[in-house]
Amino acid sequence: MKERLCTCTPENIMDYTEKEIIELSKSLSTPEYSVPLKVKLLIIKRMYEIYGFSLSNDLLLALLVEVKQQMILAPAGGCKTTSSQIKLILLKIFWSKMYGRHLTSSECLCLVYNAENRHQMDKKHLDLLAPLSLHGFISFSEGNPSYVNSGITSHTLHSFCKYWISIYAEELKLSGYTVLEEGNALTFLSSAVNKIRKANPNTKIVVKMDRLKSLYDLVWGLNLDYADIGKSNELLLDSINAIGLLPNQIVDIFKTYDITKKFFKKYDFTDMLTIMDKLLAREDVRERMHSLYTCVVVDEIQDFTPLMMCILKKIVGPETRLLAIGDEDQSIYAFRGADVDNAVRFTEHFPESKVFQLTVNRRCKNNILDAATKVIGLNENRFAKTLVAEKEGGNVTLCPYIDDNDQMSCFIAKLREEKRETIFNSVACVREKIYGQPLTFSLFLYNIPFYTLNVSRFYQHEGFKSFLEIMNLLWKPTKENWRNLYKVVNIKKDDWFRYIDYDEKRQKVNGFPDKNSLWELRFEPFVKYSGLEEALKELYQISKSINTYGCCDYIDYVLELFKKNYWNTRLSMEMIEFSEEVFNWINQIFKKDIIYPALLREYIEKLDFMTMNQKSHTGIAVATMHALKGLEFQKVYMLYMENSIFPAFHFIDLKDYSQKMISTLKEAENRLAYVAMTRAIEELTLFYRSNDPSVYVDIISKKEERKYEKIESMMIFSNRKVW
């Protein structure tokens, strides 16, 4: 087994006395930065007394030590934001005593991972200063001996780059340039793909734009360039293979995309980083930043890409105080180019730095942390540590299910046992976005409020959307609705779009024959399609009586035509998840003895409530595991814990990867499971398939009794209401 990396925090730090911690701090501190440690100890203890926080020995050591460059590894639930801001406040308090002047807000740069964290960091800093001011410990009045500036300069790395690009815009020849938003970036890429198609008419190019954009970001995030596409980087090669284009085709598309951006005077979020990296190659720019930013606090260092790390190293000058906060166990964005070695090998990036480890989890109760520790303990590329829960207790429940329907039944049954306020502080999480569809349908059917974080909802399923388009055509055969006729009768899409002169790019019908003739279509090229005339007659009768007869009288016929003439063909071209289940969802909502307009109104009213819940984050959260980073809930439900789904070890083993890459990807899966599990405060529940349990279920239950629970299946597709 690979030897674990160690930090400056002794493994038995919790057994140290105050005197021993002071002596250790003195030996670790850089002499020119040191302050009277006994005085600092008294100040730290007084601050924590005012806050009402517990002060563990590992945290005390990290706060006492004074070095130029420092990384604090804070576990999930380890109060990393609080710790980093207290460290910064201490620096502000002692700065005037060390250097005879006060630190200003513009000198204190805090780099966070996303915009939401930026506001949290600002608020946290003020929230920590306010009680100190109320107790007379510090003052916000200049001239007062206890004066401390109340501000910081917080940025995401992207907003930081954007700010400096605007300052040097003229020199960079970027005057008048604006940011290209993500949606428009996909449009620009699509335009680039179309240009390549026209230039290569004999080459079939089929590609998903979001995957192409992810690859573009990955290339530059890994600090590579177009010449590296198709070369030895395994992560890059895997992404290229998933897209299905040749490397030279991808390079041509990316170069055309860059030209398009330049033509429209745009730069995207990846450009912000690459432009900034080139700008920082100038010595005068680096010196300007070194003189401006006295201290730099970096949050989530483990999520930095190689390009981001390169920028950070140029921002930090010879005298800059650097404090990095992170946790190698929570590095889950490798698919974006994030490198866990930013944390693991931090001292190689910053040779003068020292690394300290916090081990107390203040969020999860003991049994939950114990289960999560078993999973993350599988990893070797991490620091040696023994994680400790501050709170005792906690429930870990393992719920087996037979099939997907049984899983949803068990899940709904669990929720029906809970109080409303408990459900509203819970999350149901899945490995992939697509698994949110059956989950949101079950919640919708039972009128259980929910909001989503990066998952697909059931009504976003292609089959569900297509069915509604067909029903709306029958209800209101307007000019625009007629374009969907090919989805329900035996007509080729291209023939139909030519006939109605449909502009797909503008989504506009330009030609529209007489409405009655559309129900007959007794002319070329449609006479060759078998069954067309009979189907149109039946659909015409349904359309005429749709305001009279209930949906249950004709929905089976419409679905049969939809499957035969459109859906089965779609499935032959592309694998679509829940391709059969979607018809069950449709039947549960629409197969009723109620006219379609009334059912549609009821459905839209429910969607309106769902929209309100989404905006206010009301109800149970439904999220991907990746989207849970930085969040916490009373109860966490992990669904689809099947070995064929999560972890994706079987998929990784099928790839022609090096042993190092296989190990890297498997450890990434373990970290994702650890992050999901450590969102739970009180209770963690794993739903697993009884004949294909996730390896994590076996690991959690190994060598000790765990609470196994089998909930009796219930008919979840009833009309009973919860709320």
Side-chain angles (χ1 to χ4, degrees):
M1 179 179 285
K2 182 179 175 182
E3 186 177 345
R4 294 280 165 81
L5 298 163
C6 295
T7 68
C8 293
T9 305
E11 192 173 340
N12 62 336
I13 185 66
M14 297 306 186
D15 299 327
Y16 274 42
T17 63
E18 276 189 6
K19 184 178 179 180
E20 289 172 328
I21 293 174
I22 289 175
E23 288 302 314
L24 179 59
S25 300
K26 187 176 180 180
S27 67
L28 292 172
S29 295
T30 305
E32 58 264 36
Y33 299 133
S34 62
V35 297
L37 291 179
K38 289 184 179 179
V39 174
K40 191 175 183 182
L41 173 63
L42 291 174
I43 288 175
I44 291 171
K45 290 173 72 174
R46 177 58 179 147
M47 287 171 67
Y48 272 76
E49 184 182 312
I50 291 171
Y51 294 143
F53 297 161
S54 60
L55 180 60
S56 56
N57 282 0
D58 54 356
L59 178 56
L60 178 58
L61 176 65
L63 293 175
L64 273 175
V65 169
E66 285 295 338
V67 290
K68 183 167 64 176
Q69 298 166 348
Q70 179 180 10
M71 180 172 73
I72 298 177
L73 294 168
C79 302
K80 63 181 178 61
T81 303
T82 300
S83 303
S84 66
Q85 291 308 301
I86 289 176
K87 183 81 175 178
L88 182 54
I89 290 169
L90 284 167
L91 190 63
K92 284 184 174 183
I93 290 172
F94 282 99
W95 197 261
S96 60
K97 295 176 176 59
M98 289 189 293
Y99 300 105
R101 69 176 185 83
H102 298 288
L103 275 177
T104 64
S105 59
S106 61
E107 289 180 272
C108 302
L109 175 64
C110 294
L111 296 174
V112 298
Y113 193 73
N114 57 48
E116 185 177 344
N117 290 347
R118 181 180 176 182
H119 301 305
Q120 289 175 354
M121 188 73 83
D122 288 338
K123 185 177 183 300
K124 178 63 71 174
H125 193 77
L126 284 172
D127 287 348
L128 289 169
L129 284 171
L132 299 181
S133 176
L134 286 173
H135 283 77
F137 194 75
I138 62 167
S139 172
F140 295 140
S141 301
E142 290 191 51
N144 189 301
S146 301
Y147 170 72
V148 169
N149 186 286
S150 63
I152 56 174
T153 300
S154 62
H155 277 288
T156 64
L157 190 57
H158 287 94
S159 71
F160 177 77
C161 294
K162 181 184 176 184
Y163 169 76
W164 281 100
I165 289 170
S166 68
I167 291 175
Y168 287 93
E170 190 171 339
E171 294 178 49
L172 292 167
K173 298 181 180 180
L174 293 173
S175 296
Y177 276 66
T178 56
V179 177
L180 180 65
E181 298 300 331
E182 193 66 20
N184 292 330
L186 297 180
T187 302
F188 277 30
L189 263 178
S190 179
S191 174
V193 170
N194 287 333
K195 287 179 181 178
I196 300 302
R197 284 194 184 113
K198 289 178 181 178
N200 302 273
N202 297 323
T203 303
K204 186 176 181 180
I205 298 177
V206 180
V207 63
K208 289 186 176 181
M209 294 305 140
D210 55 347
R211 284 188 178 180
L212 202 57
K213 183 61 170 64
S214 295
L215 177 60
Y216 180 87
D217 296 337
L218 181 62
V219 170
W220 294 109
L222 292 173
N223 215 10
L224 305 174
D225 58 32
Y226 298 149
D228 297 300
I229 293 179
K231 291 188 178 178
S232 59
N233 186 291
E234 288 183 290
L235 184 60
L236 203 59
L237 286 172
D238 190 51
S239 298
I240 291 170
N241 292 335
I243 288 174
L245 297 179
L246 296 173
N248 65 301
Q249 292 175 318
I250 292 172
V251 171
D252 288 343
I253 290 169
F254 287 170
K255 287 182 176 179
T256 305
Y257 172 61
D258 290 336
I259 292 169
T260 306
K261 285 186 292 181
K262 188 174 181 179
F263 178 81
F264 286 99
K265 288 196 167 185
K266 296 284 186 180
Y267 57 81
D268 63 20
F269 288 93
T270 294
D271 293 328
M272 289 182 192
L273 302 179
T274 57
I275 293 168
M276 186 66 176
D277 187 46
K278 291 175 183 176
L279 180 61
L280 285 167
R282 289 172 45 178
E283 186 176 355
D284 63 312
V285 176
R286 293 198 305 275
E287 288 179 351
R288 183 177 179 181
M289 291 198 185
H290 298 166
S291 64
L292 180 59
Y293 301 119
T294 302
C295 58
V296 177
V297 177
V298 183
D299 195 18
E300 306 287 12
I301 190 71
Q302 77 281 351
D303 292 331
F304 271 41
T305 65
L307 176 58
M308 290 175 172
M309 202 66 176
C310 188
I311 292 171
L312 177 63
K313 289 162 75 172
K314 292 174 182 176
I315 293 171
V316 175
E319 298 303 322
T320 307
R321 294 291 192 94
L322 172 65
L323 173 61
I325 306 291
D327 180 11
E328 81 281 12
D329 290 339
Q330 296 186 73
S331 178
I332 59 173
Y333 298 120
F335 62 93
R336 296 177 184 170
D339 189 353
V340 67
D341 279 352
N342 288 334
V344 175
R345 309 293 175 191
F346 185 78
T347 54
E348 294 178 16
H349 291 291
F350 297 96
E352 296 183 60
S353 65
K354 286 184 170 63
V355 179
F356 296 85
Q357 175 73 62
L358 305 185
T359 58
V360 179
N361 182 309
R362 292 172 170 82
R363 175 191 300 144
C364 309
K365 289 192 172 180
N366 181 62
N367 290 334
I368 295 169
L369 182 62
D370 184 47
T373 300
K374 288 182 178 181
V375 171
I376 199 62
L378 298 172
N379 286 5
E380 293 186 351
N381 192 26
R382 62 192 292 259
F383 287 95
K385 67 186 83 170
T386 301
L387 300 176
V388 180
E390 189 175 60
K391 296 173 282 189
E392 292 294 324
N395 294 321
V396 177
T397 305
L398 304 174
C399 292
Y401 58 85
I402 299 169
D403 53 29
D404 288 354
N405 187 60
D406 188 38
Q407 176 181 214
M408 290 301 113
S409 297
C410 294
F411 173 62
I412 294 296
K414 284 281 287 182
L415 291 187
R416 288 168 65 86
E417 296 173 355
E418 302 293 351
K419 294 179 180 179
R420 182 185 178 94
E421 56 268 26
T422 302
I423 292 178
F424 281 32
N425 194 13
S426 301
V427 63
C429 60
V430 291
R431 175 64 173 83
E432 303 291 346
K433 290 181 180 182
I434 192 69
Y435 295 112
Q437 292 185 350
L439 193 49
T440 55
F441 173 72
S442 297
L443 294 169
F444 170 86
L445 203 64
Y446 263 81
N447 296 311
I448 299 176
F450 68 89
Y451 64 95
T452 59
L453 300 170
N454 200 36
V455 298
S456 299
R457 299 177 174 215
F458 71 92
Y459 56 79
Q460 294 172 319
H461 193 286
E462 182 183 341
F464 195 92
K465 291 192 292 185
S466 294
F467 169 77
L468 282 181
E469 288 171 343
I470 292 167
M471 291 301 294
N472 288 334
L473 163 63
L474 297 174
W475 178 39
K476 291 184 176 181
T478 61
K479 184 176 181 179
E480 297 306 323
N481 284 339
W482 270 106
R483 74 182 187 276
N484 296 306
L485 184 66
Y486 72 94
K487 293 183 178 180
V488 72
V489 297
N490 186 20
I491 297 177
K492 283 189 176 180
K493 177 182 175 181
D494 291 344
D495 288 344
W496 179 240
F497 279 8
R498 273 195 298 271
Y499 179 66
I500 62 174
D501 192 14
Y502 181 62
D503 186 335
E504 285 194 77
K505 188 173 183 180
R506 294 180 176 82
Q507 296 187 335
K508 183 179 179 182
V509 176
N510 295 313
F512 192 64
D514 177 75
K515 186 167 70 174
N516 289 329
S517 68
L518 286 170
W519 287 115
E520 298 176 358
L521 297 178
R522 293 176 178 171
F523 30 78
E524 292 290 347
F526 304 117
V527 291
K528 62 185 178 183
Y529 294 121
S530 63
L532 176 60
E533 184 176 352
E534 180 185 349
L536 285 171
K537 285 180 180 178
E538 290 292 335
L539 292 173
Y540 179 52
Q541 293 304 316
I542 292 172
S543 181
K544 285 201 306 180
S545 58
I546 201 166
N547 290 306
T548 306
Y549 292 97
C551 281
C552 60
D553 292 335
Y554 55 81
I555 194 171
D556 287 341
Y557 178 73
V558 174
L559 285 176
E560 182 185 348
L561 289 179
F562 171 60
K563 289 181 184 179
K564 182 173 70 174
N565 295 313
Y566 176 74
W567 194 239
N568 292 340
T569 303
R570 280 289 293 116
L571 295 180
S572 68
M573 295 187 294
E574 181 181 350
M575 189 185 81
I576 300 175
E577 293 283 355
F578 307 113
S579 57
E580 289 300 322
E581 289 84 348
V582 67
F583 296 107
N584 186 35
W585 306 342
I586 291 168
N587 279 320
Q588 292 297 320
I589 296 174
F590 292 105
K591 194 173 183 179
K592 298 176 182 176
D593 192 16
I594 303 173
I595 61 172
Y596 176 70
L599 277 176
L600 185 63
R601 279 195 301 273
E602 180 183 312
Y603 171 71
I604 291 173
E605 285 175 4
K606 284 189 174 184
L607 287 189
D608 289 340
F609 278 113
M610 288 165 60
T611 301
M612 291 169 57
N613 291 336
Q614 184 67 31
K615 289 180 179 178
S616 61
H617 279 199
T618 299
I620 184 171
V622 181
T624 60
M625 294 176 187
H626 284 98
L628 293 180
K629 189 78 172 291
L631 303 177
E632 63 181 25
F633 301 87
Q634 288 297 114
K635 297 194 175 187
V636 171
Y637 301 96
M638 297 175 68
L639 289 91
Y640 291 97
M641 296 299 288
E642 305 175 17
N643 224 30
S644 54
I645 295 176
F646 184 58
F649 290 170
H650 66 290
F651 178 77
I652 294 168
D653 287 331
L654 290 173
K655 295 285 187 176
D656 187 22
Y657 292 140
S658 66
Q659 196 56 46
K660 181 181 178 182
M661 187 64 172
I662 289 173
S663 176
T664 297
L665 293 176
K666 287 185 175 181
E667 290 202 356
E669 292 290 280
N670 297 337
R671 289 194 295 270
L672 183 58
Y674 172 77
V675 166
M677 295 167 74
T678 53
R679 302 309 97 187
I681 299 172
E682 295 281 349
E683 186 170 326
L684 172 67
T685 302
L686 280 70
F687 292 90
Y688 68 94
R689 188 178 287 269
S690 55
N691 63 353
D692 184 32
S694 167
V695 65
Y696 298 138
V697 172
D698 294 332
I699 290 167
I700 290 170
S701 58
K702 191 176 181 181
K703 294 183 181 178
E704 66 180 14
E705 287 296 319
R706 280 291 173 204
K707 182 182 176 185
Y708 281 83
E709 183 173 319
K710 181 67 182 84
I711 302 170
E712 290 300 319
S713 294
M714 51 181 269
M715 291 300 293
I716 71 167
F717 303 123
S718 72
N719 292 319
R720 293 175 63 185
K721 293 187 177 181
V722 175
W723 309 109

